[in-house]
Amino acid sequence: MTASWWKMLRLAAGLLAAALAAVLVGWHSPSGPEQLRRQPRSFSSQPAPGAEANNLFWIIQVSDLHISKFQSPERASDFEKFCAETVPVIQPVLTLATGDLTDAKTEDKLGSDQFEVEWQTYQTILKRSKVMEKTKWIDIKGNHDTFNIPGLENVRNYYRKYSAWKKDGSFHYIHSTPFGKYSFICVDATLNPGPKRPYNFFGILKANKMQELSSLAAESSGSNHSIWFGHYPTSAIVSTSPGIRTAMRSATAYLCGHFHTLGGLMPALHTRHRHGTLELELGDWKDSRKYRILAFDHDLFSFADLKFEEWPVVLITNPKSFLYSSAAHEPLQRILHSTHIRILAFSPSPIKFVKVSIDGIHLGNAVHVSGPLYVLKWAPQNYSEGFHQIEVTVQDASNRNATRLHTFAMEENLSLTFNLLASWVLLTDLYVLVRVVFVLMVVVQIALLVIFRYRGNPTLKRPLGRAMRASFSLHILSKINFFYHSFLLLSFYTLLGPWFIGDIIDGHLGVCFSFGVIVDGHFFEGSTTYLVGIMQVAFFNLPLMAYTCWCLLLRCQGYGFGYYLRHAKQWPIHLSMALLFLWQVYSCFFLLKTYGTVAFFLSPLRLWTVGLTLFLVYRTWTLQSSMLRSFIVEMKNAQSS
Ligand SMILES: *[C@@H]1O[C@H](CO)[C@@H](O)[C@H](O)[C@H]1NC(C)=O
Ligand SMILES: *[C@@H]1O[C@H](CO)[C@@H](O)[C@H](O)[C@H]1NC(C)=O
Ligand SMILES: *[C@@H]1O[C@H](CO)[C@@H](O)[C@H](O)[C@H]1NC(C)=O
Ligand SMILES: *[C@@H]1O[C@H](CO)[C@@H](O)[C@H](O)[C@H]1NC(C)=O
């Protein structure tokens, strides 16, 4: 139920946002490596990819495991298989688990809490599979791993006890090889203290955290590559100046999770920042069993998003995909200087063949060098102009096939663009967008009330069109003090008032406003709150006002409540309002489940609004006709003229 509620929320926000997108928030989707040459870094064209298994390593990323005490136990058992069987086949030097290791949701999926058994399951899997002996395992926290934690020192911060990495906060891990240094920088934007769901959907980086990240970035400047990783996509991080994307501009890529590829709607949530950094969101383990393999081959970066137990796995490391190339971060000219096409092919069964073709012309089978590396001699000069497509098919001894293809190019002045929607989702500062939309909506509602209150009384003319009826009904509503003040109060309250007071963290009372949440002396800037505010205004405050207008208009035509109940034509309107009202009632229940009994009762915007609504509707139908007299006269004149 909440999953779909949440999906609906996200989808609605997406749609709303799409409408206002480019107008409100300045972003652009840079296309191809061409415009990145503004800050050129000189790269040597040597060493260039050849026939030997050198200057090469690869890592794995997995995200959003959501190991749960209550839901689908296969998540954990498959994950154990992944650690025990998949990782040994791939043999990555490093594995990154980018947050939401545990689900931390209650059985009804509404509430949230830390369950020690989920963490114990996670740790047992790591230990039993001995995966930490086979690869360097780095796991970080996601928002679920920080639900309902009063502080990092608290025992409920099980990450400290049961994870592999154990240390809170951002950090810099260096993978050193004989051929260079590779930096992996973690961005920890999780909240401390950790509120219960849903108000920790966005990460926050305050000034001190940003400074820490800047110094980590400076530390990594001597590395051949920097990869940044975190749980939240940059669009879901509230960060102080100069902004998280600028802070990570020296990174080749930022790896994250959290969005679950929007429930599978956007299978490739990938894009490029203005400075050339790739942002690569990875689908979840939870439902989609996704993982990712990333390779550095002679400092050319490539990756493939994969599904658990789909073998063989293929990754073409030279020539790499043009779309994911960054002239500011990689020595792209090495492709032209290379002597061999290079492919990584993995399978639990022996590989039978690795067939290579370019632009549909079969070039031959790549030969095995060592480990997963296969190479095929080629003449890159033959492809130095324009775009070309490379296609590789691998078959293993169990007769399983896999084909991988991508577009490559060697001219830097060409360009390819990322999916616009994916770029939009990852490059828009969503918290700014929802704030703007929310404030606009409330302002529109208040403006309507005030304008119609102070405009002169209307004169109705025939024919009575829809627009005229609507405007007339707004006049009625705004000019009757009771309704005017009620709706003004509702609007201003939604914008400014405390929405509820309750256990934001168990045993720690906090206050929720549209512009943020306060708990234990900490202020968390509004983000998810605005989204909830948009839903409130769009699906309750505004419809309720429209419904009241409509009812008042009917009253002016001399009809009572009973008359309209007998007329089937009007039912859809009453019914729609009843449904929206039920939704408001449900949101009280949701509040009870998420933030507890105190929140349920001390909730002006939830329980109290339900009361106000009932009173409003009652007053609408019991209002004395004398209060409507001038409008009734006007209506009669118009109808008889
Ligand atoms: C890594 O950087 C060092 C120093 O710039 C360079 O000598 C080395 O060749 C680079 N490694 C690779 C694989 O290009
Ligand atoms: C490169 O192209 C030329 C001309 O089309 C051809 O003769 C040559 O065999 C090609 N070289 C390779 C290695 O494919
Ligand atoms: C795999 O590919 C080979 C040759 O490309 C083809 O003959 C075979 O039918 C394919 N097998 C499957 C299971 O797709
Ligand atoms: C790209 O640059 C090359 C020379 O560097 C030039 O011949 C070619 O026309 C350019 N292509 C485009 C699309 O500008």
Side-chain angles (χ1 to χ4, degrees), residues 139-282:
D139 45 10
I140 62 171
K141 287 183 287 188
N143 56 322
H144 284 244
D145 305 316
T146 54
F147 283 147
N148 201 20
I149 298 181
L152 298 179
E153 310 292 333
N154 192 279
V155 282
R156 287 213 294 271
N157 183 13
Y158 294 123
Y159 173 79
R160 283 206 173 168
K161 186 167 175 195
Y162 294 108
S163 71
W165 189 257
K166 293 190 167 68
K167 294 182 281 289
D168 302 288
S170 302
F171 59 87
H172 178 193
Y173 172 78
I174 300 175
H175 175 64
S176 294
T177 66
F179 49 88
K181 274 193 340 187
Y182 297 83
S183 286
F184 293 88
I185 294 178
C186 164
V187 178
D188 183 4
T190 54
L191 309 190
N192 174 35
K196 292 193 271 187
R197 74 182 295 269
Y199 293 123
N200 82 352
F201 190 76
F202 283 71
I204 297 183
L205 291 170
K206 297 204 168 142
N208 56 342
K209 296 270 188 93
M210 287 295 283
Q211 261 158 22
E212 193 184 339
L213 284 170
S214 298
S215 57
L216 295 182
E219 248 176 62
S220 70
S221 62
S223 298
N224 294 53
H225 273 285
S226 302
I227 295 292
W228 287 41
F229 63 101
H231 178 65
Y232 303 92
T234 57
S235 59
I237 297 177
V238 182
S239 59
T240 55
S241 169
I244 181 63
R245 294 190 196 98
T246 305
M248 64 169 69
R249 65 190 179 280
S250 62
T252 307
Y254 175 61
L255 315 175
C256 56
H258 190 51
F259 280 174
H260 298 225
T261 56
L262 302 183
L265 288 178
M266 300 281 317
L269 264 183
H270 303 156
T271 193
R272 182 200 312 286
H273 298 172
R274 198 149 40 90
H275 303 282
T277 304
L278 293 170
E279 178 156 344
L280 308 172
E281 201 259 355
L282 173 61

Side-chain angles (χ1 to χ4, degrees), residues 353 355 393-395 399-402:
F353 62 77
K355 199 171 78 181
T393 301
V394 175
Q395 191 173 68
N399 280 330
R400 291 177 295 202
N401 286 5

Side-chain angles (χ1 to χ4, degrees), residues 311-315 343-347 350-355 374 392-396 399-404:
W311 299 107
V313 163
V314 191
L315 177 59
I343 295 142
L344 300 178
F346 306 87
S347 175
I351 302 282
K352 276 212 314 230
F353 62 77
V354 177
K355 199 171 78 181
Y374 289 75
V392 172
T393 301
V394 175
Q395 191 173 68
D396 67 12
N399 280 330
R400 291 177 295 202
N401 286 5
T403 298
R404 204 153 187 103

Side-chain angles (χ1 to χ4, degrees), residues 504-524:
I504 302 284
I505 300 166
D506 277 344
H508 299 256
L509 277 190
V511 189
C512 176
F513 297 87
S514 69
F515 49 85
V517 174
I518 299 172
V519 60
D520 259 0
H522 296 264
F523 175 67
F524 297 120

Side-chain angles (χ1 to χ4, degrees), residues 347-550:
S347 175
S349 323
I351 302 282
K352 276 212 314 230
F353 62 77
V354 177
K355 199 171 78 181
V356 182
S357 50
I358 293 182
D359 299 334
I361 298 163
H362 177 61
L363 299 186
N365 284 357
V367 298
H368 186 220
V369 182
S370 74
L373 181 66
Y374 289 75
V375 301
L376 178 67
K377 196 160 172 53
W378 77 323
Q381 306 79 6
N382 283 17
Y383 309 99
S384 62
E385 280 175 20
F387 287 118
H388 301 276
Q389 195 169 65
I390 181 166
E391 179 172 332
V392 172
T393 301
V394 175
Q395 191 173 68
D396 67 12
S398 313
N399 280 330
R400 291 177 295 202
N401 286 5
T403 298
R404 204 153 187 103
L405 52 91
H406 64 232
T407 299
F408 69 94
M410 293 173 216
E411 286 175 274
E412 283 182 11
N413 55 3
L414 300 172
S415 80
L416 283 180
T417 44
F418 281 90
N419 177 302
L420 267 184
L421 193 56
S423 298
W424 185 82
V425 170
L426 294 175
L427 295 178
T428 307
D429 285 325
L430 295 174
Y431 69 98
V432 177
L433 183 77
V434 287
R435 181 167 60 202
V436 172
V437 173
F438 170 70
V439 172
L440 274 182
M441 286 172 73
V442 176
V443 165
V444 163
Q445 186 169 12
I446 293 174
L448 275 178
L449 284 166
V450 173
I451 289 171
F452 279 90
R453 174 128 180 131
Y454 294 104
R455 263 175 62 175
N457 270 332
T459 31
L460 285 173
K461 286 193 210 79
R462 270 190 174 276
L464 278 178
R466 244 173 224 280
M468 189 166 293
R469 279 166 187 277
S471 129
F472 187 64
S473 68
L474 271 167
H475 271 289
I476 307 173
L477 181 112
S478 308
K479 283 179 181 129
I480 300 175
N481 285 341
F482 172 73
F483 293 107
Y484 175 71
H485 290 136
S486 300
F487 279 101
L488 213 54
L489 177 73
L490 183 61
S491 293
F492 273 110
Y493 202 85
T494 307
L495 189 65
L496 303 172
W499 288 357
F500 67 86
I501 296 169
D503 281 323
I504 302 284
I505 300 166
D506 277 344
H508 299 256
L509 277 190
V511 189
C512 176
F513 297 87
S514 69
F515 49 85
V517 174
I518 299 172
V519 60
D520 259 0
H522 296 264
F523 175 67
F524 297 120
E525 209 177 315
S527 42
T528 320
T529 48
Y530 292 120
L531 197 57
V532 173
I534 290 173
M535 303 287 287
Q536 177 70 25
V537 177
F539 295 114
F540 196 73
N541 296 9
L542 280 173
L544 182 64
M545 186 161 111
Y547 176 76
T548 310
C549 282
W550 179 75

Side-chain angles (χ1 to χ4, degrees), residues 29-246:
S29 155
S31 50
E34 47 160 337
Q35 52 206 320
L36 308 166
R37 285 172 302 159
R38 259 180 270 125
Q39 36 154 211
R41 202 172 118 189
S42 60
F43 289 110
S44 155
S45 56
Q46 292 301 330
E52 280 157 53
N54 56 2
N55 298 319
L56 171 69
F57 74 93
W58 55 93
I59 69 167
I60 282 183
Q61 184 197 354
V62 60
S63 199
D64 299 85
L65 312 178
H66 289 259
I67 289 173
S68 168
K69 176 178 171 184
F70 307 106
Q71 314 296 331
S72 62
E74 317 84 64
R75 252 177 238 167
S77 54
D78 279 354
F79 182 61
E80 180 154 11
K81 247 174 124 181
F82 176 78
C83 292
E85 295 169 21
T86 306
V87 171
V89 170
I90 295 185
Q91 298 186 2
V93 294
L94 173 67
T95 301
L96 303 173
T98 49
D100 284 358
L101 310 172
T102 61
D103 197 42
K105 281 209 228 169
T106 51
E107 188 165 13
D108 56 20
K109 297 195 203 171
L110 296 178
S112 49
D113 199 3
Q114 294 300 316
F115 298 105
E116 191 166 13
V117 62
E118 293 179 350
W119 287 96
Q120 286 165 336
T121 307
Y122 173 71
Q123 193 189 47
T124 305
I125 291 173
L126 295 190
K127 288 199 164 149
R128 208 156 50 198
S129 63
K130 297 194 166 58
V131 71
M132 292 189 293
E133 295 165 22
K134 294 165 198 150
T135 176
K136 173 78 194 174
W137 190 275
I138 294 181
D139 45 10
I140 62 171
K141 287 183 287 188
N143 56 322
H144 284 244
D145 305 316
T146 54
F147 283 147
N148 201 20
I149 298 181
L152 298 179
E153 310 292 333
N154 192 279
V155 282
R156 287 213 294 271
N157 183 13
Y158 294 123
Y159 173 79
R160 283 206 173 168
K161 186 167 175 195
Y162 294 108
S163 71
W165 189 257
K166 293 190 167 68
K167 294 182 281 289
D168 302 288
S170 302
F171 59 87
H172 178 193
Y173 172 78
I174 300 175
H175 175 64
S176 294
T177 66
F179 49 88
K181 274 193 340 187
Y182 297 83
S183 286
F184 293 88
I185 294 178
C186 164
V187 178
D188 183 4
T190 54
L191 309 190
N192 174 35
K196 292 193 271 187
R197 74 182 295 269
Y199 293 123
N200 82 352
F201 190 76
F202 283 71
I204 297 183
L205 291 170
K206 297 204 168 142
N208 56 342
K209 296 270 188 93
M210 287 295 283
Q211 261 158 22
E212 193 184 339
L213 284 170
S214 298
S215 57
L216 295 182
E219 248 176 62
S220 70
S221 62
S223 298
N224 294 53
H225 273 285
S226 302
I227 295 292
W228 287 41
F229 63 101
H231 178 65
Y232 303 92
T234 57
S235 59
I237 297 177
V238 182
S239 59
T240 55
S241 169
I244 181 63
R245 294 190 196 98
T246 305

